[in-house]
Amino acid sequence: MRHGELSPPSHPPALPDQYVNVALPLPLDQLYSYRIPEHLQEQAQIGSRVLVSFGNRQIEGVIVESISEPEVPQVKDILDCLDETPFFDPQILELTCWMAEYYLASWGQVLKCAMPAGINVVSRRIVTITDQVTEELIETVTQHAPFQGELLQSLRDKPAPVSQLRSQFRGRHLYATLAVCESRQWIRISDELSKGTQPKTALGAMLAVSADEAREAVANLDRRAPKQASVIRALLDMPEPGEPMLVGLLAEKAGTSTSTIRALEKKCLVACGPITLVRGTAQPVTEGSPDPLPLNPEQQEALSQIVASIEQRKPDVFLLHGVTGSGKTEVYMQAIAHVLGQKRTAIVLVPEISLTPQTVSRFAARFGDRITVLHSQLSQGERYDQWCRARTGDVDIVVGPRSAVFAPLKDLGIIIIDEEHETTYKQADPSPRYHAREVAIQRARLTGAPVVLGTATPSLESYHQAKQGRYRLLTLSHRIHDVPLPPVHVVDMRDELKLHNNRTIFSTTLRQAIEQRLQEQEQVILFLNRRGHSTYVFCRECGYVEQCGNCSITMTYHFNSQKLVCHHCNDQRPVSKACPRCRGGYIRYFGLGTQQ
């Protein structure tokens, strides 16, 4: 092992040397050297995921560079290579290397963040009792060390993972006890590995002969084996006769059983084998215009500048500042259409998963099945399959929240970040605590692609960058067809108290508007971005305000549970009847929450 400087991967990815540095998903700012055994020399390449021994456990890592020889005399061998071809291409390796340095995280942590969820190897430590342990030994041990005896007794029935024992004996000195029992050879602790998400396969069948030969076989089989002839006809009816069809579906379509298909396989007319199924394919939704819409002068000017950067492969950053309803999405789609015309690809980031379906709906109406989604509400299998579709070039456009910035698209032509001001683009936990906007800009620099930041209310930092000339500001000041914005009335509740003696949370104007809507059989939505009943609890005698001991913010009073709750760390405590500082009883609740 050695401490290694984080550096971009060397090229080409083939490894002429037998030693490599591996990035492990640990909070340690170093790389670890391993030897490639002879049987893995061809498979193990830069960007490949490998299984290595680290201490007394096995862990998954990524090969990031080759070295002529390690700095220490003895290194361990790589145990296994998990990929037939490199999992990460050089561009993603360079991007993640930059992220590790910029966000003060380990390279391995960043690489793990860039993987689709559920794909990594899962290692569990299993505790097994040895043959030395008998009932007499357990009785003897229990007399002198009750917890050791209790632990051994619990393992008599079957082995247990350490995580299960930790839950079972919560609050006890489990790890120290395990170490003692292992040193006395009463237990054995081993690693149990299970691979993450794998491709889903099913048995398929396809023609093993040419279409002309298949038609000739149908003519020969029509009289003596009509079921077999029906199977071949069904395969000939495929959009492309060489495509496979699921055996079950083929049997149903031909009105026969799988034994008929097997009989044709023996005659070498049909070939059977596993085919990979795609889970969670994005279905086109026809909401939106399939054809480009006419642009107004502001939209046309914005699109022209973006297209110029696309054609010149310049990594410009555009801040598209457009009022609500000004047609920013149409600019996005026409820019993407230009990118697709160059046989390049696009990433569209949205701030929330809930916004993904409506975005996909509009893009799918325009671009069809060349679009897919990547987000955490997909199952692990669906997410893995859609990630693979992007990697193999089956799709050209990926839509999703911040993690979609790592989509393995080739020849990226544009990155669009919709509602760029939203705080959800920043990952707070766990490490790396990255901002998708900054990562997207860095990835665009590596690929020569522009980034479009779209918003009606720019973030302060983006607007400042545009004013300083680092970003290019594009403005859409008018709504489509000059449709006016909804009227907004701001009511000063201090005037309500003075003029109308109104102490409620509803102003006179609001109450009258609600009554009018209800009389006309219409509906009303009221928004209040405050949970709980009261936003803070205040002592009128000494001025004390209840605060969270962890976060130093005011605690919110929840009427239903009669508790004070911190909305940052979820710390909770009962409501005090007297002031904790002066012991006064003049406690009052202020601030409006939805429970009111």
Side-chain angles (χ1 to χ4, degrees):
M1 302 180 188
R2 75 173 183 87
H3 180 84
E5 292 288 336
L6 293 184
S7 59
S10 56
H11 304 287
L15 301 179
D17 305 312
Q18 64 177 151
Y19 296 103
V20 293
N21 278 341
V22 177
L24 301 179
L26 303 170
L28 302 171
D29 184 22
Q30 62 186 84
L31 304 174
Y32 295 88
S33 299
Y34 289 88
R35 176 183 174 274
I36 305 176
E38 186 175 350
H39 68 282
L40 294 177
Q41 284 285 333
E42 294 185 3
Q43 189 177 353
Q45 300 179 16
I46 291 177
S48 297
R49 296 176 304 139
V50 292
L51 191 66
V52 298
S53 176
F54 186 80
N56 59 355
R57 60 179 172 147
Q58 295 178 6
I59 190 170
E60 177 186 330
V62 178
I63 297 176
V64 294
E65 64 181 3
S66 62
I67 54 176
S68 56
E69 61 178 282
E71 293 184 356
V72 293
Q74 293 184 343
V75 295
K76 298 179 180 179
D77 280 1
I78 289 175
L79 302 178
D80 193 10
C81 187
L82 304 177
D83 304 305
E84 293 294 330
T85 58
F87 190 85
F88 293 106
D89 62 26
Q91 181 193 107
I92 295 296
L93 285 178
E94 191 169 352
L95 176 68
T96 52
C97 177
W98 173 85
M99 289 179 62
E101 295 178 344
Y102 190 78
Y103 290 106
L104 303 179
S106 76
W107 199 350
Q109 286 177 311
V110 180
L111 287 167
K112 182 179 179 181
C113 176
M115 293 183 191
I119 195 175
N120 53 304
V121 172
V122 178
S123 175
R124 297 196 310 167
R125 306 203 70 198
I126 304 297
V127 183
T128 308
I129 204 166
T130 65
D131 295 336
Q132 296 185 21
V133 179
T134 62
E135 289 292 346
E136 293 77 11
L137 176 64
I138 293 177
E139 291 179 6
T140 303
V141 170
T142 303
Q143 293 176 3
H144 300 89
F147 182 39
Q148 293 180 21
E150 186 180 352
L151 176 63
L152 294 174
Q153 187 64 49
S154 70
L155 295 170
R156 288 286 289 174
D157 297 332
K158 61 178 182 179
V162 172
S163 57
Q164 177 183 322
L165 296 175
R166 189 170 60 242
S167 300
Q168 182 179 346
F169 300 109
R170 189 179 300 275
R172 313 283 284 276
H173 300 290
L174 175 65
Y175 292 103
T177 305
L178 288 174
V180 171
C181 292
E182 187 178 25
S183 66
R184 295 175 179 174
Q185 298 184 348
W186 293 342
I187 62 172
R188 182 173 58 256
I189 303 177
S190 57
D191 286 326
E192 181 183 87
L193 298 176
S194 61
K195 288 194 174 181
T197 306
Q198 298 295 312
K200 184 178 181 180
T201 60
L203 185 63
M206 61 185 293
L207 290 174
V209 295
S210 67
D212 292 338
E213 291 173 316
R215 294 187 187 95
E216 184 179 343
V218 169
N220 295 330
L221 293 171
D222 259 334
R223 288 187 177 181
R224 54 191 177 86
K227 294 293 186 182
Q228 294 182 14
S230 296
V231 170
I232 298 179
R233 282 197 188 93
L235 290 174
L236 285 170
D237 289 340
M238 294 283 288
E240 294 185 17
E243 287 186 0
M245 182 186 296
L246 291 175
V247 165
L249 180 61
L250 177 59
E252 180 182 349
K253 188 174 182 179
T256 183
S257 63
T258 55
S259 60
T260 305
I261 301 171
R262 289 298 189 184
L264 287 169
E265 185 181 21
K266 292 179 181 178
K267 294 179 180 180
C268 297
L269 294 173
V270 169
C272 294
I275 59 176
T276 302
L277 304 180
V278 178
R279 294 159 287 195
T281 304
Q283 297 296 327
V285 184
T286 56
E287 293 181 8
S289 172
D291 301 314
L293 300 176
L295 303 179
N296 62 32
E298 287 184 331
Q299 289 176 299
Q300 188 60 58
E301 174 60 24
L303 179 63
S304 298
Q305 294 194 40
I306 296 171
V307 166
S309 291
I310 293 171
E311 291 179 343
Q312 297 170 25
R313 289 182 176 258
K314 293 178 61 178
D316 294 323
V317 181
F318 295 93
L319 178 60
L320 184 59
H321 181 196
V323 298
T324 303
S326 59
K328 295 188 292 294
T329 304
E330 185 62 28
V331 174
Y332 301 159
M333 290 194 287
Q334 294 198 25
I336 290 175
H338 192 86
V339 166
L340 299 185
Q342 295 185 340
K343 306 299 182 183
R344 301 175 73 187
T345 57
I347 292 175
V348 181
L349 301 185
V350 293
E352 297 178 20
I353 295 172
S354 60
L355 297 178
T356 306
Q358 69 183 52
T359 304
V360 171
S361 174
R362 298 183 67 177
F363 278 75
R366 184 71 58 88
F367 301 109
D369 60 0
R370 301 300 295 176
I371 181 173
T372 191
V373 295
L374 289 175
H375 58 72
S376 59
Q377 286 191 356
L378 297 175
S379 69
Q380 290 184 354
E382 290 172 340
R383 196 172 184 181
Y384 172 74
D385 286 353
Q386 297 310 309
W387 188 90
C388 289
R389 291 182 73 210
R391 184 185 185 191
T392 56
D394 289 341
V395 295
D396 302 314
I397 306 169
V398 170
V399 180
R402 62 174 180 260
S403 59
V405 74
F406 301 109
L409 292 170
K410 306 296 183 184
D411 200 7
L412 190 62
I414 192 170
I415 301 177
I416 292 170
I417 305 180
D418 195 26
E419 307 295 345
E420 68 86 22
H421 60 276
E422 289 286 350
T423 58
T424 50
Y425 285 122
K426 178 72 169 70
Q427 174 161 302
D429 218 28
S431 183
R433 295 167 178 84
Y434 69 94
H435 198 298
R437 180 185 61 232
E438 306 306 320
V439 176
I441 292 173
Q442 179 62 23
R443 184 171 184 184
R445 287 174 182 153
L446 297 174
T447 60
V451 177
V452 179
L453 310 177
T455 178
T457 54
S459 61
L460 289 176
E461 55 269 34
S462 294
Y463 196 70
H464 175 73
Q465 296 278 39
K467 287 298 185 182
Q468 293 296 313
R470 300 186 185 97
Y471 296 174
R472 295 172 63 178
L473 181 63
L474 306 174
T475 304
L476 304 179
S477 57
H478 302 287
R479 304 186 82 192
I480 298 298
H481 305 306
D482 290 323
V483 176
L485 288 166
V488 177
H489 301 280
V490 178
V491 178
D492 191 334
M493 294 302 291
R494 293 172 297 183
D495 294 338
E496 285 286 309
L497 181 62
K498 294 176 183 177
L499 301 177
H500 307 288
N501 195 27
N502 180 9
R503 299 178 181 272
T504 68
I505 65 173
F506 298 110
S507 67
T508 304
T509 303
L510 177 59
R511 185 185 299 109
Q512 291 174 351
I514 292 174
E515 291 174 351
Q516 182 181 354
R517 296 302 104 194
L518 295 178
Q519 289 174 2
E520 296 180 9
Q521 302 297 310
E522 295 179 353
Q523 295 175 314
V524 176
I525 297 178
L526 299 176
F527 289 99
L528 180 62
N529 61 339
R530 291 290 185 270
R531 289 176 290 160
H533 184 276
S534 302
T535 55
Y536 67 101
V537 180
F538 179 69
C539 174
R540 295 295 294 269
E541 295 187 22
C542 69
Y544 175 79
V545 177
E546 290 276 12
Q547 288 189 334
C548 173
N550 302 322
C551 309
S552 298
I553 65 166
T554 56
M555 304 281 280
T556 302
Y557 170 60
H558 283 246
F559 180 81
N560 295 342
S561 60
Q562 292 292 304
K563 288 184 177 180
L564 297 173
V565 180
C566 173
H567 287 167
H568 280 202
C569 69
N570 201 37
D571 185 33
Q572 301 182 16
R573 61 173 178 257
V575 179
S576 301
K577 294 183 179 179
C579 174
R581 185 164 66 185
C582 70
R583 309 310 301 170
Y586 199 16
I587 304 295
R588 290 294 179 266
Y589 302 88
F590 294 94
L592 301 177
T594 53
Q595 290 183 353
Q596 290 195 44

